[in-house]
Amino acid sequence: MSRKLIAQRIQDLDNAADYRSWREIALELDRLEGAEDWKQDDTSDDYDYLLIRERLTALRRLRQAGDARQLAFDLYEGLHGNLGNMSNPALYGIARVGTKRLIEEYIAEVTRCLDFVCAGDFPDFGFEDKIQFFKRTAMAFGRSALLLSGGGTLGLFHLGVIKALHEAQLLPRVISGSSAGSIIAATVGTRLDEEIDALFQPGGLDLDAFRALGLREALKGGAMMDGAQLERCLAANIGDRSFVEAFDYSKRIICVTVSPAEPHQQGRLLNYLTAPHVILRRAVLASCAVPGVFPPVALQARDYEGQIVPYMPGKRWIDGTLSADLPMLRIARLHNVNHYIVSQTNPHIVPFMARIDREQQGRRGVVPLAAELVKSGGSGALSLARKHLDPYGSGRVLGKIDNVVRQRYSGDINIYPRSTPRRVLRTFTNPTPEDIQRYVRSGERATWPKLERIRNQTRISRTFEDCLRLLKAREHELLQQRRPVLRRVASR
């Protein structure tokens, strides 16, 4: 009876209409399959449960005693995103929902302690102490980013990932996109929270992006698709905002990668810090310029008077995936990110993502090892070939291939679709409304099993952001209150 029930509930899980239903069924399966007992048992060789238990007890005692100064000291000294290896992927490979109760209780206690320090009024730990503590500790702790890969029309899968994260209130503020991923990132980055829901409705996005050129036009321009049609589509979805204007409007940090079309240039990560006045839709157009499919793109920016002018005149840019599909290192340096949620739809990568996840959970074997050796050997052969070829001809082409081979295509948490030949064949075709809904649904369903892991591993950094937002608002109020007093003093 139990096996029959489990089989039936697994089928129900596959047909769940929303995350709430999916989660209820998954929790029932955890009970039926024994994962609930595993969660209740603190012990495991996969993390230092004694250290986590000790830290939990100490923090709870300090909070209950109301000792804010000592609590802040202990948090500042000992707070770490992977304390005792509690972020080990193996700890999320047993249960369908969540992980060890001890880990979840520890994370919940840390957030309670942060809220306590932020909201409380303490004679020996004043407002300036709070500001300093939260800024320094948040900087040391780091935060998460969502990275959206390329993949042509397959990139609509990202929209479902965004939908699931948004509905769960887990959408990171830092979102990076390459090629197709840059379209979704920029579309989200030019909207407020309350405006995002409309994107998932029929007609919420203009996706009439592809128009094939005639043979004569294609041979003349060196591209199969009409770049002007793609730009019209981007203008309808993104508008004319620059990176800094989009940031000021939505408070989201949108990053777009572009690759150089000429020699002597490097790939760029464009955002409100590195290219504040660059027009966002032009950056996305460049990031989508797959060689041979779309023509290279010249960037544009706003000048001091607000007029749109050429940016780096004479330089053209192409597909961002060629230099950095997932620009983790540069995002880490610019935005204090040390945890990456990756939505991966590149058709040449997706077939290997399940294997990457198994490796992260410690299930290594001969096949993954062989794949790694082939990758390393292939990259070495490409580097050797480049040395003996014309650097501006074949050598440069091999250089681009080498960049693609060397890249890292996975993050701390990976979300990816089930690859099908039919989807790959439609990479550069305009999707129908039914196609869009299928992609969104696919993205949602692939995200649901990862939501509790994302919730746990981002909860502390999200609490830091909330507390800093409240403290900054309070700081602004105090400043406003002081200004009349300062004016009266100055008038005397």
Side-chain angles (χ1 to χ4, degrees), residues 149-151 154-155 157-158 325 342-358 409 414-420 423-424 442:
S149 77
L154 300 176
F157 172 88
H158 300 318
D325 190 47
V342 169
S343 180
Q344 179 58 258
T345 60
N346 271 307
H348 62 290
I349 300 298
V350 167
F352 303 101
M353 292 305 296
R355 181 184 301 170
I356 290 171
D357 273 355
R358 287 194 297 271
Y409 290 98
N414 301 304
I415 306 168
Y416 46 90
R418 295 174 181 174
S419 181
T420 63
R423 285 182 174 177
V424 172
S442 175

Side-chain angles (χ1 to χ4, degrees), residues 30-96:
D30 279 347
R31 291 190 292 272
L32 292 171
E33 296 172 328
E36 186 61 36
D37 293 335
W38 175 85
K39 287 189 277 189
Q40 299 294 343
D41 180 9
D42 293 349
T43 64
S44 172
D45 292 335
D46 292 320
Y47 77 119
D48 190 343
Y49 61 90
L50 294 175
L51 174 62
I52 302 300
R53 189 186 290 165
E54 179 185 344
R55 288 284 297 167
L56 171 62
T57 302
L59 292 175
R60 184 175 288 159
R61 184 176 63 251
L62 288 170
R63 178 178 58 81
Q64 292 173 347
D67 192 343
R69 180 169 289 278
Q70 182 66 53
L71 182 58
F73 180 88
D74 280 20
L75 286 168
Y76 185 49
E77 289 293 315
L79 199 55
H80 190 279
N82 195 24
L83 181 70
N85 205 27
M86 67 178 184
S87 294
N88 186 348
L91 294 167
Y92 290 88
I94 305 297
R96 296 177 187 270

Side-chain angles (χ1 to χ4, degrees), residues 206-479:
D206 181 343
L207 292 169
D208 189 17
F210 300 107
R211 186 183 79 83
L213 296 173
L215 179 60
R216 182 178 296 178
E217 290 177 291
L219 292 174
K220 182 179 178 181
M224 298 185 300
M225 297 290 176
D226 183 3
Q229 178 64 29
L230 176 58
E231 186 165 14
R232 283 191 290 272
C233 171
L234 297 178
N237 294 316
I238 300 169
D240 284 335
R241 285 191 174 97
S242 65
F243 277 96
V244 72
E245 288 169 339
F247 172 75
D248 289 340
Y249 181 73
S250 70
K251 302 306 178 189
R252 289 189 179 83
I253 300 170
I254 301 304
C255 303
V256 173
T257 60
V258 294
S259 304
E262 297 97 3
H264 309 306
Q265 294 291 328
Q266 301 296 320
R268 297 276 306 271
L269 179 70
L270 306 175
N271 57 36
Y272 87 103
L273 292 177
T274 63
H277 305 298
V278 166
I279 302 301
L280 183 53
R281 64 173 169 78
R282 289 293 292 188
V284 173
L285 184 65
S287 191
C288 292
V290 179
V293 179
F294 286 107
V297 174
L299 298 177
Q300 296 175 337
R302 291 198 190 282
D303 65 11
Y304 185 74
E305 296 179 347
Q307 300 300 311
I308 296 179
V309 297
Y311 178 81
M312 297 183 68
K315 301 302 178 187
R316 298 182 305 163
W317 306 87
I318 57 174
D319 188 359
T321 63
L322 297 179
S323 59
D325 190 47
L326 308 175
M328 298 181 191
L329 183 58
R330 281 178 281 180
I331 288 176
R333 289 171 176 168
L334 287 167
H335 304 297
N336 195 40
V337 170
N338 56 7
H339 182 262
Y340 300 94
I341 304 163
V342 169
S343 180
Q344 179 58 258
T345 60
N346 271 307
H348 62 290
I349 300 298
V350 167
F352 303 101
M353 292 305 296
R355 181 184 301 170
I356 290 171
D357 273 355
R358 287 194 297 271
E359 288 178 29
Q360 287 184 339
Q361 292 173 7
R363 303 188 184 105
R364 298 192 64 86
V366 175
V367 173
L369 175 60
E372 186 63 31
L373 289 173
V374 169
K375 178 180 175 180
S376 301
S379 183
L382 286 168
S383 298
L384 182 62
R386 288 169 65 189
K387 293 179 181 179
H388 299 280
L389 291 172
D390 171 16
Y392 302 117
S394 302
R396 189 159 169 266
V397 173
L398 286 180
K400 291 185 181 298
I401 297 173
D402 194 18
N403 284 337
V404 172
V405 171
R406 287 175 179 270
Q407 288 185 46
R408 176 182 170 187
Y409 290 98
S410 63
D412 297 286
I413 299 176
N414 301 304
I415 306 168
Y416 46 90
R418 295 174 181 174
S419 181
T420 63
R422 180 171 175 268
R423 285 182 174 177
V424 172
L425 291 173
R426 303 186 65 181
T427 299
F428 295 109
T429 58
N430 290 318
T432 65
E434 292 75 21
D435 289 334
I436 295 170
Q437 291 306 309
R438 278 195 291 270
Y439 279 117
V440 170
R441 190 66 171 162
S442 175
E444 281 187 284
R445 298 192 64 81
T447 307
W448 290 344
K450 309 293 178 75
L451 276 182
E452 292 308 311
R453 182 178 171 191
I454 292 170
R455 192 186 311 278
N456 286 339
Q457 295 185 0
T458 64
R459 186 173 177 180
I460 294 174
S461 62
R462 286 184 288 111
T463 303
F464 271 119
E465 289 188 352
D466 291 341
C467 289
L468 280 167
R469 194 178 301 117
L470 289 170
L471 290 171
K472 287 177 182 177
R474 178 58 179 157
E475 189 175 38
H476 180 71
E477 289 176 9
L478 292 173
L479 182 61

